[in-house]
Amino acid sequence: MESLKQLMAFMLAGSISLGAQTIAPPAAPDPLAPIAWMAGGVWRGVVKGADGKTTKIETHVEPILNGKALSFSSSFNGVMQYQGFFAYDAAKKAILFSYPSADGGLANGTVESRGGSLLWDFQMTDSNGSVGHYQVHTIQNGADDYTWSLFASQKDAWVKLFEIHYHRTQS
């Protein structure tokens, strides 16, 4: 009888200690997941201006701060034009981005996933202090391709300014 009591006490203690083990909760979803596919490699695109001249664009997007943010830089015809970052703002529950331009402008906005595309909504302050409201619609066309379309707010309407097809290469 004594050995049965000891066995029961041992089993009870074992079940209590097993119950006391903490089971890790499932990992929270990555708040940057909607834009994470952009990280890595070099995104290349070409845009033709109204004057017929082409501009070659290269953009690099890399994870920083243990993946809690993404940095990016864009050059036009080999000259750096933009450097900025994406980060998740938990209070606003939004992916924010900010970047200065080589000509002294500053853009601040948000990116959100909308029906299979990304909507970038932002204000661009030019170096002279004028402010414009813009949107970019990005549609991913496979792992290494996307279409980037820029719209400007003009008289309560969105006017498409231009569109660029980007392709990712490894260098």
Side-chain angles (χ1 to χ4, degrees), residues 2-17:
E2 188 62 35
S3 62
L4 180 61
K5 286 182 184 177
Q6 289 174 341
L7 179 61
M8 294 289 283
F10 176 75
M11 289 175 60
L12 179 62
S15 66
I16 290 172
S17 67

Side-chain angles (χ1 to χ4, degrees), residues 131-153:
V131 178
H133 186 190
Y134 297 91
Q135 287 187 344
V136 167
H137 299 204
T138 302
I139 299 171
Q140 189 176 5
N141 306 315
D144 294 322
D145 293 279
Y146 71 91
T147 303
W148 185 98
S149 305
L150 177 65
F151 295 81
S153 178

Side-chain angles (χ1 to χ4, degrees), residues 74-162:
S74 294
S75 62
F76 297 178
N77 294 328
V79 178
M80 187 62 62
Q81 295 298 313
Y82 303 114
Q83 289 186 311
F85 68 92
F86 299 97
Y88 183 73
D89 184 324
K92 293 180 179 179
K93 306 238 182 289
I95 299 171
L96 305 181
F97 68 90
S98 183
Y99 62 89
S101 65
D103 64 5
L106 180 64
N108 290 296
T110 61
V111 181
E112 66 180 76
S113 183
R114 279 209 182 159
S117 66
L118 295 175
L119 174 66
W120 313 46
D121 188 74
F122 61 102
Q123 304 288 322
M124 176 63 116
T125 303
D126 291 334
S127 59
N128 65 10
S130 64
V131 178
H133 186 190
Y134 297 91
Q135 287 187 344
V136 167
H137 299 204
T138 302
I139 299 171
Q140 189 176 5
N141 306 315
D144 294 322
D145 293 279
Y146 71 91
T147 303
W148 185 98
S149 305
L150 177 65
F151 295 81
S153 178
Q154 297 177 358
K155 298 181 183 176
D156 298 325
W158 290 104
V159 176
K160 187 175 187 177
L161 301 179
F162 59 90

